[in-house]
Amino acid sequence: MSQSPHDEPDLTGVPQGTAVESPVIQPGHTYASVTDQISAIVLTRPTSHGWIFGFAVSFTLLMVFLYATAYLFAKGVGIWGTTIPVGWAFPIVNFVWWIGIGHAGTLISAVLLLLHQEWRTSINRFAEAMTLFAVSCAGLFPLLHLGRPWLFYWLLPYPNTMDLWPNFRSPLIWDAFAVTTYFTVSILFWYAGLIPDMSTLRDRARNRLAQLVYGMMALGWRGSAAHWHRYETAYLLLAGLATPLVASVHSIVGMDFAAALVPGWHTTFSPPFFVAGAIFSGFAMVMTLMIPLRWAYGLQDFVTLRHLDNMAKVILATGSMMAYGYAAEVFFAYYSGNKYERYLTVNRALGPYAWSYWSLIACNVVAPQFLWFQSVRRNVSALFIVSLIVNIGMWLERFVIVVISLHRDFLPSSWRIYSPTIWDFTHLIGSVGLFLTLLFLFIRLLPMISIFELRELVHKTNEET
Amino acid sequence: MGTPRKPEESYGLLAEFEEGEALLEAARQAHAAGYRQMNGYTPFPVHGLSQALGQKPTRLPLLVLVGGIVGGSAGYFMLYYASVISYPINVGGRPLHSWPAFIPITFEMAVMGAALAAFLGMLALNGLPHPYHPLFNVPVFSLASQNRFFLCIQAGDPLFDLVQTRQFLEGLHARVHEVQP
């Protein structure tokens, strides 16, 4: 959806040749056909075996996560490999990884909306949902890592009998505010986008329960001119608010590191570097999920090769920024003349965790280079593999930042080799289960593509031809 | 002009169109004919419809600005109060009112206030949630959320007349339905 009608097709930012080759939506669709096809996934199509199987696997992993969490609460953080000097380890790696993934939704929805990128329409709803679920996973890890998670509310400023406040000068508390705000604004943005589609489902549902539930969620939406006018204003304003917000959230995550004196963390360039990494991993995750979904639900008409091509270009661009970042890190270490920074750089490349550093370079710097070729950007399986590799690479990047910096800092007498336990992996894989469970429920119960925006797109496409 | 019907006998007349452009044209003509209490209903935002119906621009942006200012100032005040008044700690003589460190939370709170104002303000100004509406009594109105475009001239309009308004709407090549209250 966009605020002003725009007739110049050049605004899509894609060369005309490409645009003709694969449109944002396959021609021949009408308002009714897009409405039918998307709402049918939720309302009339039987639940597929693939869905049941996928949901069962995800739900099992979620149960594993809950089991691990119960065990953690009973035993304490000692079940993890987290030990001084590596006091952050897996939980924080997972936190930063998930929150980074959670950046694509808002980016696709808000930034691309403000930039009039019409191709966002078919993927924004899904990306927003992905954001919510990824941020939910992310939010759990710092809480689990607290040691006494039942005291998590100490993070919040509230009048208390201890007469204490959180340390407002610490980036860690900024982070609590940033993630809370980001989660809230993402929910509002997502729900606002859903309201008109809920009215569509309400009006199409034949089942009484579905009519009631979707009817309640639609809040009595009638699609009146006055409603739409305020709705579009609100949506655009939310997009305008979310854009600086999304940059602030991962910047503050970057500051969590930058404010510490640890070698490899204490650098002013952490915030922009983290934001680029977040966009990189977020787009990769959207691609990893969208490619199987469009195939399973026959959505190739709406999520076309054009979308995949554009996302691949974003991944390539942000991947190049990451490559620049890795090069800059090495240069800074050399140029600072600081022996701890220099040692860290050598230790990353040649130390006991060198495997993680070089895997990271292979995943985040080498793998995206294939996206320079149009033949790769138009090969769905190749894209899927590259996006999967990028996801792994971004996890490794956080591992490199957190673990390698901490395990050997200033004092050789306190160096120690960190090794994760089975519970570290259980929580990581379990959180993927939580994420996928929510995602499976979402694609079964809510329209995964914004129907009213597709109708608008059909309207615009018809006008142009 | 015929005898005006009382509003309680009918909510109004609903004209059904296949395309947004036809509705837009009908809205312009209805506005030119002097109708004011009317509204268009569309499955996606049709640009210019609100203006064609003579609706005023929304005050929502102002509300969002106020929300942002309130959120931001409340956030800053909380930080100031906690750090300077309620629990001042002297750390190596550093200033208690260390405003640069207060910026991130102030920003987050401003965004939170503005976003809540945008969402809740949009719902409030739209009068949502609003589970029952007379238009839902017209079976074909369920297509307003799918692929049809509607113009409803309400019985409360001073010019409204069941017969003449129906003729006017039919003159615009629309199928016309009466809406029970």
Side-chain angles (χ1 to χ4, degrees), chain B residues 1-179:
Chain B
M1 198 179 243
T3 337
R5 292 255 202 134
K6 284 176 190 147
E8 58 263 28
E9 289 175 27
S10 169
Y11 175 77
L13 285 170
L14 187 67
E16 180 189 345
F17 300 89
E18 298 279 340
E19 275 297 337
E21 285 72 18
L23 168 62
L24 200 55
E25 184 49 38
R28 285 201 190 99
Q29 291 196 21
H31 193 260
Y35 290 107
R36 290 297 176 269
Q37 290 193 31
M38 57 181 174
N39 216 333
Y41 300 89
T42 57
F44 59 84
V46 172
H47 293 285
L49 183 59
S50 185
Q51 292 91 315
L53 290 164
Q55 292 167 351
K56 290 191 202 112
T58 174
R59 293 161 295 160
L60 190 62
L62 186 69
L63 220 76
V64 174
L65 178 69
V66 172
I69 292 174
V70 168
S73 358
Y76 196 90
F77 175 76
M78 174 189 72
L79 298 165
Y80 181 84
Y81 175 79
S83 312
V84 179
I85 299 168
S86 172
Y87 205 92
I89 308 179
N90 184 339
V91 183
R94 288 181 181 81
L96 294 173
H97 181 205
S98 53
W99 66 267
F102 297 169
I103 297 296
I105 292 182
T106 305
F107 170 79
E108 301 297 334
M109 295 302 288
V111 170
M112 180 84 103
L116 287 171
F119 182 77
L120 299 176
M122 183 270 286
L123 290 185
L125 292 176
N126 277 346
L128 300 174
H130 188 143
Y132 175 77
H133 194 275
L135 283 169
F136 293 140
N137 293 330
V138 184
V140 76
F141 188 72
S142 68
L143 293 178
S145 65
Q146 300 176 44
N147 61 348
R148 290 294 156 75
F149 301 78
F150 295 91
L151 178 70
C152 180
I153 299 185
Q154 290 158 18
D157 193 284
L159 292 182
F160 184 85
D161 176 88
L162 208 48
V163 179
Q164 288 191 359
T165 305
R166 179 181 278 272
Q167 279 169 358
F168 169 76
L169 288 172
E170 279 167 352
L172 300 168
H173 311 291
R175 278 188 296 279
V176 181
H177 314 267
E178 190 174 343
V179 185

Side-chain angles (χ1 to χ4, degrees), chain A residues 2-3 31-32 163 165 168-169 174 200 203-204 219-220 222-225 227-230 232 245 248 455 459, chain B residues 19 21 39-43 47 58 79 82 86-87 96 98 101 108 125-126 128-130 133 142 145-147:
Chain A
S2 61
Q3 181 69 352
Y31 305 140
D163 203 21
W165 293 90
F168 288 126
R169 297 184 184 100
W174 304 347
T200 303
D203 293 339
R204 289 181 69 87
L219 307 174
R222 300 185 293 283
S224 85
H227 281 185
W228 279 123
H229 174 57
R230 297 192 190 99
E232 286 205 289
L245 178 65
S248 85
R455 287 192 286 252
H459 177 71
Chain B
E19 275 297 337
E21 285 72 18
N39 216 333
Y41 300 89
T42 57
H47 293 285
T58 174
L79 298 165
S86 172
Y87 205 92
L96 294 173
S98 53
E108 301 297 334
L125 292 176
N126 277 346
L128 300 174
H130 188 143
H133 194 275
S142 68
S145 65
Q146 300 176 44
N147 61 348

Side-chain angles (χ1 to χ4, degrees), chain A residues 253-267:
Chain A
V253 174
M255 289 180 208
D256 288 345
F257 292 89
L261 297 176
V262 176
W265 292 7
H266 193 56
T267 154

